[in-house]
Amino acid sequence: MSEIVKIVKITGTAVPMRGNDIDTDRIIPARYLKEVTFARMGEYPFFDERYSAEGKKKDHPFNDPEYSGASVLFVNKNFGCGSSREHAPQALNRFGIKAIVGESFAAIFAGNCTMMGVPTVTVGEKDIQQLMKSVEESPKTEYAIDLESKTLVYGNEKIAIDLPETYRTALITGSWDSTALLRANLDQVKKTAATLPYIRNFAF
């Protein structure tokens, strides 16, 4: 059975992605939506911005070896706008991103991230500028995001973070993972299923 995973604290180095209104088509180009599974999505985030037509690497934060292994993504305003494709958070998560900190997020993108166990937390404009500057100056800085205390800590700095209470509760209780919840309550699921007329061929 799947284990219920409670997401309370995420710690790791970060990668900055400057710019407002970064949409899902930039995060994951549409041609990669044809794949049958999400298995290879980690290869594609920002693909067209990271590689030339000949496959050569461009200057991009996700290609920068200084940010290699980062698990926190810093962004600006309205990140994840555009289409509702789940592939965008899938690509980021499979690339290694476990939490995103920004000024604001597109609502559907934030919801999709939460359903995958990836917190999207917001901070003020001055705070995100401070965070981006800190990681650009010292890429190996570790950042700790605590969803219970709603804080982000690094070095001697502490910044208040925010996210919708429904998302926060789902993450820290583990209810973000609907599949794990169903498996953890399989006996009750079977009992309920047995009462459904369309399961019993409408026999009473």
Side-chain angles (χ1 to χ4, degrees):
M1 289 189 180
S2 300
E3 180 183 353
I4 293 178
V5 177
K6 299 178 181 181
I7 298 173
V8 179
K9 193 171 185 177
I10 302 94
T11 302
T13 58
V15 54
M17 178 65 62
R18 291 186 178 272
N20 297 327
D21 305 313
I22 293 177
D23 62 34
T24 51
D25 196 47
R26 289 178 61 186
I27 297 171
I28 177 73
R31 64 185 179 278
Y32 296 119
L33 307 187
K34 299 176 182 178
E35 300 220 357
V36 177
T37 72
F38 293 127
R40 296 180 57 189
M41 286 294 126
E43 301 174 24
Y44 307 136
F46 300 106
F47 194 89
D48 290 344
E49 298 178 16
R50 292 170 57 204
Y51 298 97
S52 69
E54 296 75 30
K56 293 182 178 180
K57 285 186 177 182
K58 299 180 184 179
D59 184 17
H60 190 278
F62 274 39
N63 286 341
D64 192 329
E66 288 195 319
Y67 302 127
S68 178
S71 57
V72 180
L73 176 61
F74 293 152
V75 299
N76 292 116
K77 296 176 182 176
N78 198 30
F79 187 80
C81 57
S83 74
S84 60
R85 65 185 68 164
E86 186 185 356
H87 301 69
Q90 284 281 357
L92 294 173
N93 182 238
R94 289 171 186 272
F95 183 80
I97 300 302
K98 304 304 179 188
I100 311 176
V101 182
E103 293 176 67
S104 63
F105 298 92
I108 294 176
F109 175 83
N112 284 340
C113 285
T114 302
M115 293 290 286
M116 292 171 45
V118 178
T120 52
V121 304
T122 57
V123 297
E125 182 177 358
K126 289 183 178 179
D127 291 329
I128 198 64
Q129 293 300 330
Q130 175 185 331
L131 288 166
M132 286 184 170
K133 183 179 179 182
S134 71
V135 71
E136 287 167 351
E137 291 179 347
S138 182
K140 297 308 175 187
T141 300
E142 289 233 334
Y143 301 84
I145 299 167
D146 191 317
L147 299 183
E148 281 193 327
S149 64
K150 296 173 72 173
T151 58
L152 186 159
V153 175
Y154 68 101
N156 297 319
E157 301 290 335
K158 179 184 286 189
I159 294 175
I161 62 174
D162 198 17
L163 72 164
E165 188 58 29
T166 52
Y167 291 175
R168 190 177 80 94
T169 299
L171 290 163
I172 65 178
T173 62
S175 61
W176 63 271
D177 189 342
S178 56
T179 301
L181 280 178
L182 287 171
R183 288 182 176 276
N185 296 278
L186 194 55
D187 288 342
Q188 186 59 46
V189 170
K190 290 178 178 179
K191 288 179 181 178
T192 301
T195 68
L196 300 175
Y198 49 84
I199 297 295
R200 302 170 55 191
N201 292 322
F202 295 93
F204 296 94

